[in-house]
Amino acid sequence: NTSKYSEGSKIQWKVRTAGVTKVYGDWSIQRTVDIYAQPTLEMSITDASGALVETLTSFPFYISALAGPDTQAPIGYQVKITSNEFYETIDETGQTKTVNKGDAVFSKYYDITDQLLLEMTADSIDLESNFTYTVTCSVTMDSGLSAEISHEFNVSWNENVYLLDADIEIDSENNRLSGFYYDKT
């Protein structure tokens, strides 16, 4: 238990043994243990105006994280967003995709030594309205210690649904295909 020592303290020791001869030998190499405080991690999720987000209503949104104490430096952050519920959605290729409770819909490691600030857009993550998600951020410090924090948020936005109607004409004389598209929203 190192709780009685302050951040930055060092515990040094060396030993020598007598063994069965009861004659002490040479001292061992001196060993050192550095004492570090447990890292802290603060995280916030904000909208474009800087307001804290509990219910996400539009893109972009921002994830920021600040690690401490100042006597240790972050060497990287891992950000993961997981679904809190089961649902089915359509992926970017038009295929039906199943998302299970606990599945990561976003996961990325950031090799940075400062405060983390991410801008999340519709291009970087696909979230479904009327579902909840958990953002988990972990930081690894140069001391070898780490910290983790999680925050849950809801998604509630109006989605535009487009129903397309298309007419296709084939010009067999010129081997051409032409189409006319009508947006029925």
Side-chain angles (χ1 to χ4, degrees), residues 2-184:
T2 59
S3 62
K4 65 182 178 179
Y5 302 104
S6 62
E7 167 89 13
S9 297
K10 295 180 183 290
I11 300 174
Q12 298 177 326
W13 79 92
K14 54 185 173 180
V15 296
R16 67 183 198 167
T17 59
V20 293
T21 64
K22 301 201 192 277
V23 177
Y24 283 98
D26 293 336
W27 284 100
S28 70
I29 296 173
Q30 182 169 302
R31 306 287 182 185
T32 303
V33 173
D34 294 317
I35 305 298
Y36 296 103
Q38 179 62 37
T40 60
L41 184 59
E42 297 174 14
M43 180 178 63
S44 63
I45 303 171
T46 57
D47 62 16
S49 67
L52 291 175
V53 170
E54 288 188 32
T55 300
L56 183 65
T57 58
S58 66
F59 283 115
F61 69 99
Y62 301 88
I63 300 171
S64 61
L66 180 62
D70 292 338
T71 54
Q72 300 174 49
I75 59 173
Y77 294 85
Q78 174 73 39
V79 177
K80 183 166 53 169
I81 301 177
T82 56
S83 171
N84 293 346
E85 303 168 61
F86 167 86
Y87 62 89
E88 288 186 346
T89 187
I90 306 296
D91 68 11
E92 61 275 357
T93 64
Q95 301 297 315
T96 300
K97 177 181 170 185
T98 300
V99 177
N100 292 303
K101 180 179 179 180
D103 283 355
V105 295
F106 178 86
S107 182
K108 190 165 183 182
Y109 179 78
Y110 298 90
D111 188 11
I112 58 173
T113 58
D114 291 331
Q115 178 178 356
L116 176 73
L117 181 59
L118 301 179
E119 179 181 54
M120 304 298 289
T121 64
D123 188 43
S124 56
I125 189 168
D126 183 22
L127 301 173
E128 284 292 314
S129 189
N130 302 317
F131 290 97
T132 60
Y133 297 87
T134 299
V135 179
T136 302
C137 180
S138 59
V139 64
T140 303
M141 307 298 276
D142 63 354
S143 63
L145 299 174
S146 62
E148 183 176 285
I149 191 168
S150 294
H151 180 73
E152 189 174 291
F153 68 95
N154 301 308
V155 176
S156 178
W157 50 47
N158 294 328
E159 295 186 57
N160 293 328
V161 177
Y162 296 98
L163 302 173
L164 299 178
D165 188 13
D167 289 331
I168 298 175
E169 293 181 1
I170 300 174
D171 182 355
S172 58
E173 290 179 18
N174 296 319
N175 291 327
R176 290 188 181 179
L177 179 67
S178 62
F180 302 95
Y181 299 96
Y182 304 97
D183 181 8
K184 293 184 177 179

